[in-house]
Amino acid sequence: MSAPASSKRPVENIDAILRLEKQDEEKIALHHRVFHAIGSFAGTPQFVVLQCAAVVCWIAFGGVFPDRALDPFPFPLLGTFLALEAVLLTFVKMRLTASWRSGIA
């Protein structure tokens, strides 16, 4: 027994929508895809844990090996990196929020 034609129509519609969404994603420029990937990762708990671990390792290495440290206490290079990261991620998040509101993402 086969399913009636009316029950196949929703599945066909869903498949068509998924195909269209995939085609739209492929049309998005590379830099937009990179922004989406960064923005979606930056909002996760994994990013926060990774960021905290990196900062702790940076400070620990500078404290344990002060003669080999790239960035001695009070860690001006680390502060510069974190400030730059905050600025860049702010712009990425603003772009993502704007695209989500407009229905692009």
Side-chain angles (χ1 to χ4, degrees):
M1 287 186 99
S2 65
S6 62
S7 67
K8 290 182 182 179
R9 187 168 291 147
V11 173
E12 292 171 359
N13 289 342
I14 292 170
D15 289 340
I17 290 169
L18 291 174
R19 275 194 310 276
L20 289 172
E21 286 180 352
K22 186 170 183 159
Q23 289 172 355
D24 284 344
E25 285 179 16
E26 291 171 356
K27 291 179 186 176
I28 294 175
L30 177 63
H31 66 280
H32 285 289
R33 282 184 268 168
V34 170
F35 284 158
H36 285 281
I38 292 170
S40 61
F41 176 65
T44 64
Q46 291 88 351
F47 175 78
V48 174
V49 169
L50 181 67
Q51 185 73 26
C52 290
V55 170
V56 167
C57 288
W58 185 295
I59 292 171
F61 185 80
V64 173
F65 303 108
D67 53 330
R68 293 186 184 172
L70 267 164
D71 188 26
F73 182 81
F75 311 109
L77 189 59
L78 176 62
T80 303
F81 285 155
L82 293 176
L84 178 62
E85 179 187 25
V87 169
L88 294 176
L89 286 177
T90 299
F91 285 112
V92 169
K93 287 296 205 179
M94 286 178 2
R95 293 286 300 209
L96 284 174
T97 301
S99 68
W100 288 330
R101 287 185 181 161
S102 68
I104 294 172

